[in-house]
Amino acid sequence: MKTLQNHILIYDNDCPLCNIYSKGFVKSGMLDKNGREAFSEITSETKNKIDVHRSKNEIALIDTKNNRVIYGLESLLTIIGNSFPILEKFARIKPFHWFFQRLYKFVSYNRKQIIPSEKDLTEDNCVPDFNLKYRLLYLGFVLIFSAYVLGFYNQRLFPNFKNNFGLEFFICCMQIVWQGTFMGIYLKGRIWDYLGNMMTVSLLGTLLLIPALFFNFSQIFYFIYFGTVVFLMFLEHLRRCTILKFGMIPTISWMLFRITFGAILLYIVSNS
């Protein structure tokens, strides 16, 4: 690897993904051993060089030799392009650059909903701005993906029940409406943070269901496995609410929704 000299990457040390890839840059030799600096530990000298607010949304890369700072996707392309110039040229082709730019923002603006941290509530946090467009895109992505997978899984639970994406999509939408309505009153200004974390719990549950779809087990197994996944989702939902100091009410409401619509689905299946 060709090391990018005289550059310091300012990364969010409370974000596991940021931690992993920035550490990977150093370990692989793409950055030197002093080539990254944690946001929560930056010196006053470094703070004067960067736009602190912008660096919460887009990772900052400081060129210490030329006293220049770049942000976001450009930071990553500069590091990668130094070792793999062909990859950088490919990523800078207009349609691909447009896609990667939006993918970067999609992940960056939702990273605290994907993996929250107790430090997100502190004054020196590295929490990105709320971006309604990218939050709605995240909710929509999880909504469609979860409904699609659940449609197939329900066929394992109820072999005679036709795969109904529309029904699963409706139930997933109702989860957002249910929690959004009640928790919007309870959590007020933090409702979008909650909905993002709630949908991440749904995403994790969906991913856990996928491996079972590649095998043909008994119907009893699929019921037990589904119950286990829901229990793990409950624990994860509770853990996130604890981290973000939402209290028990969101988890209780979430479980009431699961029980209510689970009963409705069983009624529909039994009468179909």
Side-chain angles (χ1 to χ4, degrees), residues 74-100:
E74 294 306 306
S75 298
L76 302 183
L77 291 181
T78 298
I79 297 170
I80 295 170
N82 188 61
S83 295
F84 305 101
I86 294 177
L87 286 179
E88 182 186 9
K89 287 180 181 179
F90 171 79
R92 289 191 183 281
I93 297 173
K94 200 166 186 179
F96 297 110
H97 189 270
W98 180 91
F99 172 76
F100 288 127

Side-chain angles (χ1 to χ4, degrees), residues 113 121 135 175-176 178-199 237 240-254:
Q113 279 61 55
L121 303 177
R135 187 61 48 80
Q175 177 182 221
I176 296 176
W178 176 296
Q179 290 296 85
T181 300
F182 294 108
M183 293 305 101
I185 298 170
Y186 175 67
L187 297 174
K188 297 179 181 178
R190 301 185 66 198
I191 182 59
W192 287 106
D193 287 337
Y194 169 73
L195 289 178
N197 277 276
M198 180 192 75
M199 292 307 283
H237 190 282
R240 287 170 178 261
C241 286
T242 301
I243 288 174
L244 297 171
K245 294 180 171 53
F246 288 145
M248 283 290 295
I249 292 178
T251 302
I252 293 171
S253 177
W254 181 81

Side-chain angles (χ1 to χ4, degrees), residues 208-220:
L208 287 174
L209 291 178
I210 291 176
L213 294 175
F214 291 98
F215 303 94
N216 289 312
F217 297 115
S218 67
Q219 189 178 13
I220 294 175

